[in-house]
Amino acid sequence: MANIVCSRVDKAYGAVNVIRDFNLEIEDHEFVVFLGPSGCGKSTLLRMIAGLEEISGGAVSIAGRTVNDLEPRDRGVAMVFQNYALYPHMTIYDNIAFGLKRMKVDRAEIDSRIKAVAGTLGLEPYLGRKPTELSGGQQQRVAIARAMIKTPRVFLFDEPLSNLDAKLRNHMRVEIARLHQKLKTTTIYVTHDQLEAMTLADRIVLMKGGAIEQVGTPAEIYERPRTLFVAGFIGTPNMNFLDVTARSDGQAWLLEGDGVRFRADRGRFEIKEGQALTLGVRPSSLLAASLEGNRENTLAGIADLVEFHGDSALVSFRVGGKEIGALVPAGSRPTTGAPVAFSVGGESLHVFDRVTGLSMLREES
Ligand SMILES: Nc1ncnc2c1ncn2[C@@H]1O[C@H](COP(=O)(O)OP(=O)(O)OP(=O)(O)O)[C@@H](O)[C@H]1O
Ligand SMILES: [Mg+2]
């Protein structure tokens, strides 16, 4: 098993820089997820670590050894792709054995390793079948078996579940989590699905435009997004955003915008008088409030859409021209057209500089 270090890694295709100064240390046994929108460079990075793509600048090391010039097969990594392409004319047994046979591994050794891997992944009943005789999830397990059998020091997954339907995806996600608990192999997992990232990762590396936007545990990223981009990317339904300006009344910060005024603890944010800010509030942080009385720390409007989610409902209304969503228990959802009001506790406010997009939350708060 192995740690992985990326230092100052760059990737350029001709004049276009798609990865810029990427620095990351992944510990032995860690499960790290690269998350980000399409085109942000997740696959490119993974392929550079695997050795399938040349590194334009900087260094990648695995288990303390720089691997820039090592062939993929000498890096001790195994990769599982979205399109896992099993050999259709071969049995599952032969599909799993293929890589080892090419490496001239002894037949008895191959056989015992296949039995062990098939046992771990629940594939024993299918070893004699052809790929077309398996379900999508079973085929994906074969692809994982093919990677596992090489007993790699590092697992690299590139969107391995994105070809599966929603139910199977959930099932395979749990299986991958269990597999990692059992094997503890250092893993990098690429996805643009935030649920996969939140549930699987020890740490998430959230990327944007070829660079790291934030690295942290799922809870850190959710609770303390470092930028507006992170805040908007993580969390379903999406965080609500409002334009406000900061003013001090001597004791607290008043964050004022079109139709809203929030009072925030002075110690919580690092902001300046008159600063243009974007205020962020998660839909789950809105609590039903009285329709009368004090409108400070309150978002109020007319429910123009009520989406039933089963145990909850998403209520949409407009505040100063901005669409706001509130997540409420399904049993207390309003009807469309009804007036609604929600209070927001100061501790669930996020504040970002409107120009730089950086969070203004104090480090220690
Ligand atoms: N061979 C190539 N030549 C030129 N540009 C490339 C090449 N391969 C990838 N790119 C560019 O590099 C950037 C990163 O691509 P990459 O495939 O790593 O993104 P990704 O984050 O994996 O996206 P997705 O979620 O869609 O898979 C993209 O802008 C892409 O257009
Ligand atoms: Mg990709």
Side-chain angles (χ1 to χ4, degrees):
M1 300 210 189
N3 69 332
I4 303 167
V5 181
C6 298
S7 35
R8 316 219 57 184
V9 171
D10 285 303
K11 178 68 186 180
Y13 289 110
V16 186
N17 245 315
V18 296
I19 302 288
R20 289 171 286 115
D21 194 20
F22 187 91
N23 294 286
L24 182 70
E25 293 191 18
I26 297 172
E27 286 170 34
D28 196 9
H29 306 312
E30 206 178 4
F31 196 118
V32 165
V33 172
F34 290 174
L35 176 68
S38 187
C40 72
K42 306 178 294 292
S43 296
T44 303
L45 257 170
L46 203 68
R47 293 171 59 81
M48 285 195 282
I49 294 167
L52 303 173
E53 198 76 65
E54 204 174 316
I55 299 166
S56 309
V60 173
S61 78
I62 299 174
R65 176 168 183 201
T66 302
V67 298
N68 286 43
D69 298 322
L70 281 191
E71 290 295 321
R73 64 169 179 275
D74 299 326
R75 296 188 182 197
V77 306
M79 191 147 163
V80 180
F81 299 91
Q82 173 181 348
N83 298 311
Y84 37 82
L86 304 177
Y87 298 108
H89 57 284
M90 289 185 197
T91 62
I92 299 308
Y93 185 101
D94 288 335
N95 263 284
I96 301 174
F98 187 75
L100 294 185
K101 277 190 184 156
R102 271 212 326 200
M103 288 157 67
K104 306 264 187 290
V105 176
D106 178 73
R107 280 179 82 146
E109 165 75 15
I110 291 180
D111 197 58
S112 79
R113 271 157 79 170
I114 288 188
K115 297 262 156 65
V117 168
T120 304
L121 289 167
L123 287 169
E124 293 114 322
Y126 314 117
L127 290 174
R129 291 196 197 172
K130 298 278 175 62
T132 51
E133 295 165 329
L134 298 190
S135 73
Q138 289 161 346
Q139 290 185 33
Q140 185 56 286
R141 261 187 270 156
V142 175
I144 295 171
R146 214 166 42 174
M148 252 175 82
I149 197 146
K150 296 182 194 155
T151 53
R153 294 182 298 180
V154 174
F155 268 133
L156 304 173
F157 289 96
D158 193 352
E159 312 230 17
L161 308 184
S162 52
N163 281 353
L164 306 178
D165 67 40
K167 192 163 171 226
L168 205 48
R169 258 178 107 120
N170 288 339
H171 175 71
M172 285 304 295
R173 200 181 69 224
V174 173
E175 286 202 0
I176 288 175
R178 289 229 174 88
L179 198 63
H180 184 255
Q181 271 176 11
K182 198 177 325 183
L183 303 176
K184 302 209 163 37
T185 308
T186 310
T187 299
I188 306 177
Y189 186 104
V190 165
T191 183
H192 54 249
D193 182 321
Q194 54 163 304
L195 183 66
E196 272 174 30
M198 296 291 266
T199 53
L200 286 170
D202 291 320
R203 281 190 304 157
I204 294 174
V205 177
L206 186 43
M207 295 175 59
K208 179 192 172 195
I212 293 179
E213 192 78 3
Q214 186 169 0
V215 180
T217 64
E220 280 164 359
I221 297 228
Y222 184 81
E223 287 160 13
R224 302 179 68 88
R226 212 176 60 78
T227 66
L228 203 52
F229 175 80
V230 176
F233 195 85
I234 297 280
T236 351
N238 290 345
M239 191 183 272
N240 297 300
F241 295 114
L242 290 162
D243 290 345
V244 294
T245 306
R247 180 165 71 84
S248 170
D249 76 346
Q251 285 145 16
W253 284 115
L254 297 178
L255 308 170
E256 297 169 319
D258 196 355
V260 292
R261 176 198 267 180
F262 289 90
R263 190 175 287 272
D265 206 20
R266 281 192 69 94
R268 187 168 161 79
F269 302 112
E270 194 100 47
I271 49 183
K272 292 201 265 316
E273 183 79 25
Q275 191 173 349
L277 301 165
T278 300
L279 184 85
V281 187
R282 294 208 185 273
S284 54
S285 303
L286 273 65
L287 303 170
S290 155
L291 292 171
E292 273 111 55
N294 188 359
R295 282 299 160 96
E296 208 166 74
N297 289 20
T298 299
L299 291 167
I302 304 292
D304 56 28
L305 195 68
V306 180
E307 269 178 47
F308 179 62
H309 290 182
D311 52 357
S312 63
L314 182 64
V315 181
S316 300
F317 57 102
R318 297 191 85 79
V319 174
K322 288 260 162 94
E323 177 94 2
I324 300 292
L327 208 55
V328 303
S332 60
R333 68 189 185 279
T335 52
T336 307
V340 290
F342 298 93
S343 69
V344 184
E347 71 293 342
S348 45
L349 293 179
H350 297 265
V351 168
F352 306 91
D353 183 273
R354 212 183 302 161
V355 179
T356 65
L358 288 176
S359 172
M360 296 288 110
L361 199 61
R362 253 184 233 280
E363 288 286 334
E364 63 278 13
S365 74

